[in-house]
Amino acid sequence: MKESEIKKYYNKKIKELKKHNKLYFDDSAPKITDNQYDQIKKEIFDLEKKYSFLKSTSSPSNSLGYTPSKNFIKSKHRVKMLSLSNAFGKDDLENFEKKIFNYLNQKIDIEYSVEPKIDGISASLTYKNGILILGTSRGDGTTGEVITENLRTINDIPHKITSNDFPRNIDIRGEVFIKKSDFTKLKNEFANPRNAASGSLRQKNPEQTKKIPLKFIAYTYGYFENKTIKKQSEFLSLLKKWGFKTSAHNKVLKTLNDLEYFHKKFEKIRYDLEYDVDGLVYKINNIDLQKRLGFTANSPRWAIAHKFSAHSAFSQIMDIGIQIGRTGALTPVARIKPVNIGGVVVSNATLHNEDEIIRKDIRVGDTVKIERAGDVIPHVIQVEFKKRDKNSKKFSFPKLCPSCSSKTIKEFNRLTKKYDAVRRCTNDGFECEKIAVEKMKHFISKEALNIDGLGKKVIEKFWDLKLIRFPQDIFRLNFLQISKLDGWGDISVSNLKYSINQSKKVSLDRFIYSLGIRHIGIENAKLLADYTKSISNFVNFVKTNKFNEFLNIDGIGETQINSLKKFFENKSNFKVIEELSQILNISDIKLNKNGKLLNNTFMFTGKLSNMSRAEAKSLIEKNSGSVVSSVNKKLKFLIIGEKPTIRKVEQAKELGIKILSQNEWLNLLD
Ligand code: IVH
C-alpha cells in the first residue's frame, strides 16, 4: 500500500473510533461490543507501530483518545489540589532551601518527609463520620470530577473507617495507579501505565473500572477538621493505622546531602518497584512550619519533587522550525525522525533559542542526542559531529519575524550588561498573526478566563475561519454559524455558549493575567490587582500612563513597569482592555473586613528578625491591614527592625506616626 493510502485507512479507523467513543461516553448507547471496540483500537495501535509516520491527536496511544469530562459532575475541592515544583539536581535543591531561609529570614535545620513520587493520577476522598461520601479527580486543581463510584471499586480504598481517632471530617488524598505487571496485559490499549489508570478511573460505568486492577496509595490530606498532627511522617503512620496503603519507602531525612544520597540510591532501584515512580517528593516534616511557609500560585513553598534523570535517545534533525510565542519570543524547534524515548514517541525537540543553536552549532541533518525528563519538553543535548555530513550548512536564524515580517531583536539587559539569548518579534500587539493566536490561547487558558470547550485547537480553527481576531470577538461569536461547522453539534455549541457566558464573571487578578503581558504572571497580576482594587482604577492607570506608581508595590520592579508601558503603547492592546472591561463582569478585590488590623496601614524599615518582608506583608494583609511604601499622612504605624533608615523614623515622628518594634507589632496580632 502507498503511504497516502495507509494514511487514509488509518484516519478512517480513527474516525470510526471517535464515533464509537461518542456513542459510548456521551450517548451511553454503544453500537458495538467491547470486543469489537478493542479490535479497532488494536488495529490503530498496530498501524502506528508499523508506520512511524502515522500520528493523530485523537489516537488512543497518544492520549486517552477521549476525555469524557462532560459526563461527570464537577465538585469544588474544599482545599485546592496543588502541584509540586520540580528539582533536577543539587542547584535546584539548594535554591529551594535558600528560598525557604529567605522567607523565614533565618537559617534553620530542616527535617523532611521523603516519599516516592508515584506516577499515577491523584484523587481526593472525603470521609464524614468515617464513611466515604465523595471521591474526586484533581481536575484543574480547584474543581475536580466526581468519580466516587469508580474509586469505590478500588480495593485499597476503605469505604468505612472505625478507628476512634479517625477525623470526623477529612479529605484523604493519594495516587491511583496500576501495577507494572498488570499493565503488561493492557499494553495494546494504552501508551503507559499512567494513561491506563486514568482511562480506567474515568470510565462512565464503574463496572469497566473494576476490570482494570487499580491501586491507591495515600500521602496527604486536603480539608482536615480539628487537625492536631504535628508532622507529615506522623500523618503517614496514622494513614496506615486507619487502613490506607502507604508507600513502604517513606522516610524521614535531614540534610540536603542525605536527600541526595538517598535519591541516588533510589534511582537505581526504581525499576524494581512494582509501580512507576518519576522522582522523590521532599516535604518539610513540621506542619506548623509548612503553614508558615504557605503557597505560591501553584505549589507549596514547603515541598518539592526531585525528579529522576532523564531518558535519552539519538535521532536525526529533519528540519528546524520557528515557533512564535505570546510575548514574541522566537523558539527554534527541531523536527526529528520519530524516536521512542522511555515509552513516549518524540518527534519534536526544543532548541531553546538562537544562542543555543550557535553555541552547540546545531544544523539540519545532524544526528543528535535528545533527552526527555518526565513532563518536560524534550531537548537536544549534543550533536554527533562525527556523523555530520560534509556539505552541511550552518543554520541561519531568521532576522525578520516569520509570521509578520517585523524586525526581530535581542534585548539588552542593563543589569547583566548582556544581550538576551532570545530573539523576539518587535510587534507586541495583535498585528502579528502568530502572537495574536498565542495571546488568545493564553486568554482562554485555565488560569486566565478558563473557557472550557474553547481549547487551543478551536482557537486556531476559529482564527483560520476569521471568526476571531481579538479576545473580545469571543463574546460576539455567531453560534448559528458555528453549529454549521464540521464537527460541531447542538450539544457542543450549547456547551461552548455556556462556558463563554460563565467566563464573563472574572476576578481582577485573573483578568490582568489573561492579557498576557510579558513579566506579569499570576503572582504579579495579583499584586497589581491588590493595589488597583478595581478594573476602572486599573484602566485609569493605563489611560493616564501612571505605571511608575506601581513601583510602590513590593515585588514590582522596573522590568515589570517597562513591560506594562510597552504593552499598552500598542493601540490594539489598549483597545482590547477597553472593550473587555465593558463586556466582562470583573469583580473588585474584596478585602477581608474582619481582621484585627482593618483600616490600619503599616510600613517597615530595617531588617526584621526571623521573618522576611514578604511574610510580614502577608501576615498584615491576612489580618485586613495594608502595607505602604512611603512615609506620609496616610501611614499609621512604622515598624522598625534592625538598622532602620533614620530619615524615615524622623519623618514618621514629625508626622506623629506611631512607631512600633517588631514585637510590639506582633503583639497587636496576639
Ligand atoms: S503531595 C501540595 N506526595 O505529584 C502537595 N504528591 O506534582 C501535592 N504525587 O498531583 C501533592 N506522589 O499526583 C504528593 N507522595 C506524594 C506524591 C505526589 C505522587 C503526585 C500527585 C500530585 C503531583 C504533584
Side-chain angles (χ1 to χ4, degrees):
M1 240 196 296
K2 277 199 289 198
E3 193 172 310
S4 62
E5 281 172 311
I6 297 167
K7 272 190 185 156
K8 208 169 153 193
Y9 181 75
Y10 171 79
N11 286 334
K12 197 178 126 208
K13 286 283 147 192
I14 292 273
K15 218 170 153 186
E16 204 176 322
L17 190 78
K18 268 177 143 178
K19 185 180 92 187
H20 291 294
N21 272 334
K22 186 178 177 307
L23 285 166
Y24 179 84
F25 288 112
D26 278 350
D27 310 340
S28 294
K31 289 227 165 90
I32 52 172
T33 64
D34 283 5
N35 229 332
Q36 286 168 316
Y37 178 84
D38 290 346
Q39 276 307 315
I40 305 177
K41 258 183 156 175
K42 189 170 178 319
E43 202 173 343
I44 293 173
F45 226 84
D46 289 345
L47 280 168
E48 282 172 359
K49 266 190 199 158
K50 205 161 159 196
Y51 306 106
S52 61
F53 55 84
L54 293 176
K55 225 171 48 186
S56 159
T57 44
S58 309
S59 159
S61 65
N62 193 334
S63 64
L64 300 171
Y66 202 75
T67 320
S69 69
K70 288 194 187 73
N71 280 310
F72 291 100
I73 296 171
K74 302 261 170 85
S75 163
K76 193 161 185 230
H77 300 303
R78 298 193 281 188
V79 171
K80 270 193 180 180
M81 287 181 86
L82 294 161
S83 52
L84 295 166
S85 47
N86 291 330
F88 292 97
K90 200 169 180 178
D91 287 358
D92 296 340
L93 289 179
E94 277 168 1
N95 209 3
F96 167 70
E97 272 202 348
K98 206 162 109 196
K99 278 194 201 147
I100 291 172
F101 297 152
N102 280 344
Y103 194 81
L104 301 173
N105 213 1
Q106 104 196 87
K107 226 175 151 176
I108 48 163
D109 290 330
I110 303 179
E111 188 178 88
Y112 292 99
S113 170
V114 179
E115 305 159 23
K117 187 170 181 297
I118 304 163
D119 195 10
I121 304 293
S122 52
S124 184
L125 310 165
T126 299
Y127 288 86
K128 280 196 183 155
N129 298 317
I131 310 286
L132 172 64
I133 58 152
L134 175 73
T136 53
S137 67
R138 180 175 182 273
D140 62 4
T142 305
T143 309
E145 297 155 335
V146 176
I147 47 167
T148 320
E149 291 316 312
N150 295 7
L151 287 166
R152 269 190 221 277
T153 65
I154 302 175
N155 283 335
D156 295 342
I157 296 182
H159 294 190
K160 191 174 170 192
I161 294 163
T162 49
S163 300
N164 288 337
D165 58 351
F166 187 64
R168 278 163 43 104
N169 191 349
I170 190 170
D171 301 329
I172 303 286
R173 292 177 175 173
E175 206 76 358
V176 175
F177 60 94
I178 177 168
K179 286 201 322 200
K180 287 185 209 163
S181 51
D182 288 323
F183 175 69
T184 20
K185 292 169 220 154
L186 299 161
K187 247 190 189 139
N188 287 341
E189 287 178 62
F190 297 98
N192 54 43
R194 191 174 184 275
N195 278 6
S198 169
S200 162
L201 202 55
R202 296 166 85 241
Q203 292 288 332
K204 200 178 173 197
N205 181 355
E207 286 302 312
Q208 295 295 327
T209 306
K210 245 186 187 167
K211 286 187 189 163
I212 296 180
L214 294 174
K215 300 272 162 199
F216 180 77
I217 278 190
Y219 49 67
T220 193
Y221 49 83
Y223 180 82
F224 192 153
E225 194 175 271
N226 298 328
K227 185 173 62 183
T228 51
I229 54 148
K230 291 278 171 228
K231 287 185 171 187
Q232 163 71 6
S233 52
E234 187 191 329
F235 180 68
L236 291 172
S237 311
L238 280 169
L239 280 170
K240 208 166 162 189
K241 184 178 157 218
W242 293 331
F244 291 95
K245 294 266 161 51
T246 53
S247 169
H249 304 277
N250 293 339
K251 237 180 162 25
V252 173
L253 291 173
K254 280 199 171 126
T255 61
L256 286 193
N257 275 342
D258 287 353
L259 293 180
E260 271 199 289
Y261 181 75
F262 184 64
H263 189 268
K264 276 209 184 88
K265 238 172 66 181
F266 203 85
E267 191 158 19
K268 288 192 187 122
I269 62 150
R270 64 183 280 213
Y271 297 107
D272 305 332
L273 301 191
E274 54 180 17
Y275 43 80
D276 272 342
V277 281
D278 56 351
L280 290 173
V281 183
Y282 306 145
K283 300 175 185 168
I284 289 191
N285 207 14
N286 181 319
I287 306 266
D288 284 338
L289 190 50
Q290 287 186 1
K291 205 166 155 198
R292 219 180 127 187
L293 288 165
F295 302 88
T296 63
N298 291 316
S299 52
R301 281 196 192 88
W302 44 264
I304 196 155
H306 190 183
K307 294 281 184 112
F308 291 131
S309 57
H311 300 277
S312 61
F314 289 93
S315 181
Q316 196 186 7
I317 299 184
M318 310 308 290
D319 193 13
I320 295 178
I322 305 286
Q323 275 176 0
I324 299 151
R326 165 173 59 83
T327 56
L330 269 52
T331 305
V333 179
R335 316 274 178 227
I336 56 166
K337 268 196 188 151
V339 56
N340 188 318
I341 313 182
V344 173
V345 177
V346 175
S347 45
N348 291 310
T350 180
L351 301 173
H352 301 292
N353 52 53
E354 184 179 6
D355 278 12
E356 173 92 353
I357 295 193
I358 298 171
R359 204 161 46 83
K360 292 189 175 153
D361 186 17
I362 298 167
R363 304 179 185 189
V364 173
D366 277 350
T367 299
V368 287
K369 189 172 179 186
I370 313 244
E371 192 177 79
R372 184 188 74 86
D375 35 20
V376 184
I377 305 172
H379 60 276
V380 170
I381 36 177
Q382 76 195 42
V383 175
E384 290 287 285
F385 290 109
K386 277 187 222 141
K387 293 198 177 156
R388 174 172 282 171
D389 191 295
K390 274 185 231 106
N391 300 323
S392 90
K393 288 196 187 76
K394 267 198 181 346
F395 180 73
S396 109
F397 206 89
K399 297 290 178 282
L400 295 180
C401 171
S403 163
C404 68
S405 305
S406 295
K407 210 173 95 187
T408 62
I409 52 156
K410 287 173 133 199
E411 285 170 4
F412 185 71
N413 187 325
R414 277 196 292 154
L415 273 179
T416 59
K417 299 213 164 30
K418 276 187 190 153
Y419 280 96
D420 203 351
V422 177
R423 184 172 281 281
R424 285 173 198 278
C425 167
T426 42
N427 195 314
D428 211 357
F430 286 79
E431 296 75 18
C432 176
E433 179 172 329
K434 285 279 189 292
I435 294 181
V437 174
E438 290 309 310
K439 273 177 183 249
M440 276 189 274
K441 286 183 189 167
H442 174 80
F443 181 73
I444 55 126
S445 67
K446 275 215 166 78
E447 273 143 343
L449 275 254
N450 189 18
I451 310 186
D452 228 12
L454 193 65
K456 292 183 178 176
K457 286 267 165 306
V458 182
I459 289 284
E460 279 170 11
K461 176 114 193 259
F462 285 5
W463 175 277
D464 289 343
L465 293 169
K466 301 197 171 62
L467 299 180
I468 48 174
R469 282 291 173 266
F470 298 98
Q472 55 267 41
D473 296 337
I474 291 170
F475 303 96
R476 299 171 185 141
L477 282 171
N478 180 340
F479 293 104
L480 190 68
Q481 193 182 351
I482 294 171
S483 67
K484 286 178 189 148
L485 298 175
D486 229 17
W488 287 85
D490 288 347
I491 298 179
S492 46
V493 170
S494 98
N495 280 342
L496 178 66
K497 206 166 163 180
Y498 177 79
S499 57
I500 289 178
N501 254 329
Q502 287 289 94
S503 75
K504 282 189 184 162
K505 199 171 156 2
V506 58
S507 60
L508 181 59
D509 53 331
R510 269 179 178 249
F511 173 71
I512 296 175
Y513 171 73
S514 78
L515 297 170
I517 307 164
R518 189 167 163 219
H519 300 300
I520 308 293
I522 300 177
E523 298 276 344
N524 285 338
K526 273 202 181 116
L527 293 176
L528 293 175
D530 282 344
Y531 189 80
T532 53
K533 303 275 184 299
S534 70
I535 180 66
S536 53
N537 275 343
F538 186 78
V539 173
N540 229 348
F541 271 101
V542 173
K543 276 190 180 155
T544 51
N545 204 359
K546 279 202 308 198
F547 297 112
N548 283 346
E549 200 180 314
F550 294 152
L551 281 171
N552 283 331
I553 308 173
D554 209 359
I556 299 285
E558 245 180 70
T559 312
Q560 287 78 16
I561 304 286
N562 289 339
S563 175
L564 281 160
K565 282 183 185 164
K566 184 165 174 278
F567 186 86
F568 287 112
E569 261 166 26
N570 180 295
K571 291 224 167 55
S572 56
N573 287 333
F574 183 71
K575 192 170 159 230
V576 168
I577 178 173
E578 253 200 330
E579 292 193 16
L580 282 176
S581 65
Q582 301 297 323
I583 296 169
L584 302 175
N585 174 4
I586 304 166
S587 48
D588 294 351
I589 295 298
K590 285 194 194 71
L591 301 167
N592 164 16
K593 292 210 169 115
N594 304 315
K596 286 195 169 153
L597 305 181
L598 184 67
N599 296 331
N600 286 309
T601 48
F602 296 83
M603 185 180 150
F604 298 99
T605 174
K607 188 171 176 277
L608 298 171
S609 93
N610 298 342
M611 186 185 276
S612 65
R613 283 278 177 90
E615 186 179 5
K617 181 170 180 279
S618 113
L619 205 55
I620 287 179
E621 287 171 351
K622 265 188 208 154
N623 288 283
S624 319
S626 57
V627 177
V628 296
S629 55
S630 63
V631 182
N632 59 40
K633 278 186 201 151
K634 285 187 200 155
L635 179 65
K636 264 212 173 149
F637 298 99
L638 180 70
I639 302 165
I640 49 172
E642 221 178 285
K643 294 191 191 148
T645 311
I646 304 298
R647 200 173 48 84
K648 286 183 185 161
V649 181
E650 280 171 357
Q651 269 180 331
K653 277 185 186 159
E654 268 170 39
L655 292 169
I657 291 161
K658 276 188 212 144
I659 295 175
L660 301 176
S661 69
Q662 183 176 347
N663 275 341
E664 285 169 324
W665 160 59
L666 287 172
N667 283 339
L668 291 182
L669 296 164
D670 301 331

